Amino acid sequence: MFRKSTFVAALLAATVVSGVASAKTFVYCSEASPEGFDPGLYTAGTTFDASAHPVYSRLLEFKKGTTETEPALAESYEVSDDGLVYTFKLRPGVKFQTTDFFTPTRDLNADDVIFSFERQWKADNPWHTYVEGASWEYFAGMGMPDLLQSIEKVDDLTVKFTLKQQSAPFIANIAMPFASILSKEYADKLQADGKMNQINQQPVGTGPFTFVGYQQDAVIRYKKNPDYWGDAPKIDDLVFAITTDASVRFQKLKAGECHLMPYPNAADVEAIKADSNLKVSEQEGLNVAYLAYNTTQAPFDKVEVRKALNMAINKQAIVDAVFQGAATPAKNPIPPTMWSYNNAVEDDKYDPEAAKAALEAAGVKDLSMKIWAMPVARPYMLNARRAAELIQSDFDKIGVKAEIVSYEWAEYLDKSKAKDRDGAVMLGWTGDNGDPDNFLDTLLGCDAVGGNNRAQWCNKEFDDLVTKAQQVTDVAERTKLYEQAQVVFKREAPWATLDHSLAIVPMRANVEGFVQSPLGDFTFDTVDITE
């Protein structure tokens, strides 16, 4: 599927930490392979780290280390008095990247913005189905098709978005990876050449780094974009060394084979902190891990069964074993650091005997099920296999036989969307924009069923509350609506909420300028390597 890069692993050892090379090469030991390089098609942070953040830019972006938006490809914007029309003024002179496979002939203009959104929106756009089965999961799951009335070109540097109703999260949403701006000129060329899939293999954007090549499941290479519209990166070359095992990532970091790694094993954190050649950045994660029941399939279509299984799970044991305390048990679908978190909600108590009795009362005997365990570490779940084993043991105590299954990461994400999927899927979420809507509607809204809503749960009472919260701008009123939505969620139990974790990022001591994101992103346009 992907173009093989001639870049070889020997470069890693030659140019990493020694500093002997004249060019600065920064190596990131990433945790998994990207699904592709078109950010509109996907929802995984791994994919965004490899595509949206290095290669692309957006109309607005999040200030480093915050959930506040700031101008990016749009210098400014205006909102009409009725809150329905957003007019964006584009930054003049923005260049698309020049690569071995494409040389742009013009600067960014309104056509690129309209193309980037309409391909996800309009079924008659030739790019809407360029990947078979493409669902534009984020765009659809956040209700954008029903929100947008029109996108119009006012002039080359002015674009007007008209909405059907007010949307409080709209500005934050368009700063997210799915709203990355692609080159229409590049797309037109690929379409004319009959090579439309290449846009997902050889990306071209306006971001800080230019894509060089991808050796599948091994290495991604980028170089500094000399025409970047923002502050130029301090490093010359960026390398993603794909390393799925957390222990191996740690060994590579210690050996100086990479500069920074994500998602360390909890057991390694103290050793990392004790190593004078290493340092750690950490903060409360804006995340949640969960086990999503398929609420359309028996017996998980019964709330009594879901509540019984929730009571059987010892969440504190998961926190202790997987995170060694660097996490807290979760009771709500949003983290406690997020505004509108409803602390008054009571969690399902860990009570195996009550769980067993509840199953019997529901008429469920000899239940066998599958627990899906992620094959990769994520910030919200460092070791899904271990967590699944603990849940398997918990279920066994109440007479439920659970089989643990897994797949390669991209396949896992794809198969787990199926509406007829069996069992319960372990997944999680790190907030993309700091708005509760990004959790509650994106993961649990009716329009996300078959996509991010892995529970396949459509509850009108919940959905009406979340939809109403989108359409009001008063934060106090939105807070009340989201608090009520969390009560409905807990009553209906489409998930077993598992944990909220501390986000820990180890790096070499000579790394400067890395800014940890509350959104869980890994970006490298501000990093430097000192002597």
PDB file of all heavy atoms in Angstrom, residues 64 209 233-234 512-515 523-528:
ATOM      1  N   LYS A  64       0.397  25.924  21.874  1.00  0.00           N
ATOM      2  CA  LYS A  64       1.192  24.854  22.475  1.00  0.00           C
ATOM      3  C   LYS A  64       0.877  24.717  23.967  1.00  0.00           C
ATOM      4  O   LYS A  64       0.870  25.703  24.711  1.00  0.00           O
ATOM      5  CB  LYS A  64       2.679  25.141  22.297  1.00  0.00           C
ATOM      6  CG  LYS A  64       3.170  25.060  20.855  1.00  0.00           C
ATOM      7  CD  LYS A  64       3.182  23.632  20.339  1.00  0.00           C
ATOM      8  CE  LYS A  64       3.768  23.572  18.937  1.00  0.00           C
ATOM      9  NZ  LYS A  64       3.732  22.203  18.378  1.00  0.00           N
ATOM     10  N   PHE A 209       6.999  20.111   8.581  1.00  0.00           N
ATOM     11  CA  PHE A 209       7.884  19.087   8.037  1.00  0.00           C
ATOM     12  C   PHE A 209       7.317  18.516   6.743  1.00  0.00           C
ATOM     13  O   PHE A 209       6.108  18.321   6.601  1.00  0.00           O
ATOM     14  CB  PHE A 209       8.092  17.950   9.050  1.00  0.00           C
ATOM     15  CG  PHE A 209       8.803  18.388  10.294  1.00  0.00           C
ATOM     16  CD1 PHE A 209       8.084  18.677  11.453  1.00  0.00           C
ATOM     17  CD2 PHE A 209      10.181  18.531  10.317  1.00  0.00           C
ATOM     18  CE1 PHE A 209       8.723  19.090  12.608  1.00  0.00           C
ATOM     19  CE2 PHE A 209      10.837  18.957  11.471  1.00  0.00           C
ATOM     20  CZ  PHE A 209      10.105  19.243  12.615  1.00  0.00           C
ATOM     21  N   PRO A 233      11.244  25.051  12.179  1.00  0.00           N
ATOM     22  CA  PRO A 233      11.730  24.052  13.133  1.00  0.00           C
ATOM     23  C   PRO A 233      13.227  24.201  13.365  1.00  0.00           C
ATOM     24  O   PRO A 233      13.975  24.636  12.488  1.00  0.00           O
ATOM     25  CB  PRO A 233      11.423  22.718  12.432  1.00  0.00           C
ATOM     26  CG  PRO A 233      10.318  23.023  11.480  1.00  0.00           C
ATOM     27  CD  PRO A 233      10.578  24.430  11.021  1.00  0.00           C
ATOM     28  N   LYS A 234      13.671  23.816  14.560  1.00  0.00           N
ATOM     29  CA  LYS A 234      15.087  23.910  14.906  1.00  0.00           C
ATOM     30  C   LYS A 234      15.861  22.666  14.489  1.00  0.00           C
ATOM     31  O   LYS A 234      17.094  22.670  14.483  1.00  0.00           O
ATOM     32  CB  LYS A 234      15.236  24.151  16.414  1.00  0.00           C
ATOM     33  CG  LYS A 234      14.636  25.482  16.884  1.00  0.00           C
ATOM     34  CD  LYS A 234      14.753  25.629  18.385  1.00  0.00           C
ATOM     35  CE  LYS A 234      14.266  26.999  18.852  1.00  0.00           C
ATOM     36  NZ  LYS A 234      12.844  27.229  18.542  1.00  0.00           N
ATOM     37  N   GLU A 512      15.365  19.877  24.211  1.00  0.00           N
ATOM     38  CA  GLU A 512      14.794  21.143  24.674  1.00  0.00           C
ATOM     39  C   GLU A 512      13.601  21.505  23.793  1.00  0.00           C
ATOM     40  O   GLU A 512      13.540  21.127  22.629  1.00  0.00           O
ATOM     41  CB  GLU A 512      15.835  22.267  24.611  1.00  0.00           C
ATOM     42  CG  GLU A 512      17.073  22.033  25.472  1.00  0.00           C
ATOM     43  CD  GLU A 512      16.770  22.038  26.963  1.00  0.00           C
ATOM     44  OE1 GLU A 512      15.724  22.613  27.339  1.00  0.00           O
ATOM     45  OE2 GLU A 512      17.559  21.468  27.734  1.00  0.00           O
ATOM     46  N   GLY A 513      12.657  22.234  24.374  1.00  0.00           N
ATOM     47  CA  GLY A 513      11.575  22.811  23.580  1.00  0.00           C
ATOM     48  C   GLY A 513      10.382  21.918  23.336  1.00  0.00           C
ATOM     49  O   GLY A 513       9.426  22.347  22.675  1.00  0.00           O
ATOM     50  N   PHE A 514      10.397  20.680  23.856  1.00  0.00           N
ATOM     51  CA  PHE A 514       9.210  19.844  23.685  1.00  0.00           C
ATOM     52  C   PHE A 514       8.116  20.342  24.626  1.00  0.00           C
ATOM     53  O   PHE A 514       8.347  20.530  25.813  1.00  0.00           O
ATOM     54  CB  PHE A 514       9.517  18.377  23.981  1.00  0.00           C
ATOM     55  CG  PHE A 514       8.297  17.488  23.927  1.00  0.00           C
ATOM     56  CD1 PHE A 514       7.766  17.101  22.714  1.00  0.00           C
ATOM     57  CD2 PHE A 514       7.666  17.078  25.102  1.00  0.00           C
ATOM     58  CE1 PHE A 514       6.625  16.294  22.663  1.00  0.00           C
ATOM     59  CE2 PHE A 514       6.540  16.282  25.062  1.00  0.00           C
ATOM     60  CZ  PHE A 514       6.013  15.889  23.838  1.00  0.00           C
ATOM     61  N   VAL A 515       6.930  20.561  24.087  1.00  0.00           N
ATOM     62  CA  VAL A 515       5.806  21.037  24.878  1.00  0.00           C
ATOM     63  C   VAL A 515       4.755  19.930  24.934  1.00  0.00           C
ATOM     64  O   VAL A 515       4.202  19.539  23.901  1.00  0.00           O
ATOM     65  CB  VAL A 515       5.191  22.315  24.277  1.00  0.00           C
ATOM     66  CG1 VAL A 515       4.022  22.799  25.143  1.00  0.00           C
ATOM     67  CG2 VAL A 515       6.244  23.403  24.134  1.00  0.00           C
ATOM     68  N   THR A 523       4.142  16.602  18.932  1.00  0.00           N
ATOM     69  CA  THR A 523       4.576  17.504  17.858  1.00  0.00           C
ATOM     70  C   THR A 523       6.011  17.929  18.109  1.00  0.00           C
ATOM     71  O   THR A 523       6.432  18.048  19.264  1.00  0.00           O
ATOM     72  CB  THR A 523       3.666  18.745  17.782  1.00  0.00           C
ATOM     73  OG1 THR A 523       3.752  19.474  19.013  1.00  0.00           O
ATOM     74  CG2 THR A 523       2.212  18.346  17.530  1.00  0.00           C
ATOM     75  N   PHE A 524       6.740  18.168  17.020  1.00  0.00           N
ATOM     76  CA  PHE A 524       8.187  18.357  17.147  1.00  0.00           C
ATOM     77  C   PHE A 524       8.709  19.609  16.438  1.00  0.00           C
ATOM     78  O   PHE A 524       9.915  19.750  16.253  1.00  0.00           O
ATOM     79  CB  PHE A 524       8.902  17.103  16.629  1.00  0.00           C
ATOM     80  CG  PHE A 524       8.444  15.849  17.316  1.00  0.00           C
ATOM     81  CD1 PHE A 524       7.575  14.970  16.690  1.00  0.00           C
ATOM     82  CD2 PHE A 524       8.828  15.580  18.624  1.00  0.00           C
ATOM     83  CE1 PHE A 524       7.118  13.830  17.343  1.00  0.00           C
ATOM     84  CE2 PHE A 524       8.383  14.446  19.284  1.00  0.00           C
ATOM     85  CZ  PHE A 524       7.530  13.565  18.635  1.00  0.00           C
ATOM     86  N   ASP A 525       7.826  20.515  16.094  1.00  0.00           N
ATOM     87  CA  ASP A 525       8.275  21.720  15.399  1.00  0.00           C
ATOM     88  C   ASP A 525       8.999  22.684  16.329  1.00  0.00           C
ATOM     89  O   ASP A 525       9.678  23.600  15.850  1.00  0.00           O
ATOM     90  CB  ASP A 525       7.094  22.421  14.722  1.00  0.00           C
ATOM     91  CG  ASP A 525       5.918  22.647  15.641  1.00  0.00           C
ATOM     92  OD1 ASP A 525       5.408  21.657  16.180  1.00  0.00           O
ATOM     93  OD2 ASP A 525       5.511  23.810  15.815  1.00  0.00           O
ATOM     94  N   THR A 526       8.897  22.500  17.654  1.00  0.00           N
ATOM     95  CA  THR A 526       9.590  23.403  18.587  1.00  0.00           C
ATOM     96  C   THR A 526      10.787  22.739  19.276  1.00  0.00           C
ATOM     97  O   THR A 526      11.468  23.388  20.064  1.00  0.00           O
ATOM     98  CB  THR A 526       8.617  23.896  19.679  1.00  0.00           C
ATOM     99  OG1 THR A 526       8.096  22.767  20.396  1.00  0.00           O
ATOM    100  CG2 THR A 526       7.476  24.686  19.073  1.00  0.00           C
ATOM    101  N   VAL A 527      11.046  21.456  19.010  1.00  0.00           N
ATOM    102  CA  VAL A 527      12.110  20.766  19.739  1.00  0.00           C
ATOM    103  C   VAL A 527      13.481  21.115  19.201  1.00  0.00           C
ATOM    104  O   VAL A 527      13.657  21.477  18.037  1.00  0.00           O
ATOM    105  CB  VAL A 527      11.927  19.231  19.731  1.00  0.00           C
ATOM    106  CG1 VAL A 527      10.605  18.828  20.340  1.00  0.00           C
ATOM    107  CG2 VAL A 527      12.090  18.663  18.330  1.00  0.00           C
ATOM    108  N   ASP A 528      14.471  20.975  20.082  1.00  0.00           N
ATOM    109  CA  ASP A 528      15.868  21.182  19.707  1.00  0.00           C
ATOM    110  C   ASP A 528      16.705  20.155  20.463  1.00  0.00           C
ATOM    111  O   ASP A 528      16.256  19.580  21.463  1.00  0.00           O
ATOM    112  CB  ASP A 528      16.311  22.606  20.058  1.00  0.00           C
ATOM    113  CG  ASP A 528      17.584  23.019  19.317  1.00  0.00           C
ATOM    114  OD1 ASP A 528      18.093  22.227  18.492  1.00  0.00           O
ATOM    115  OD2 ASP A 528      18.060  24.137  19.589  1.00  0.00           O
TER     116      ASP A 528
END
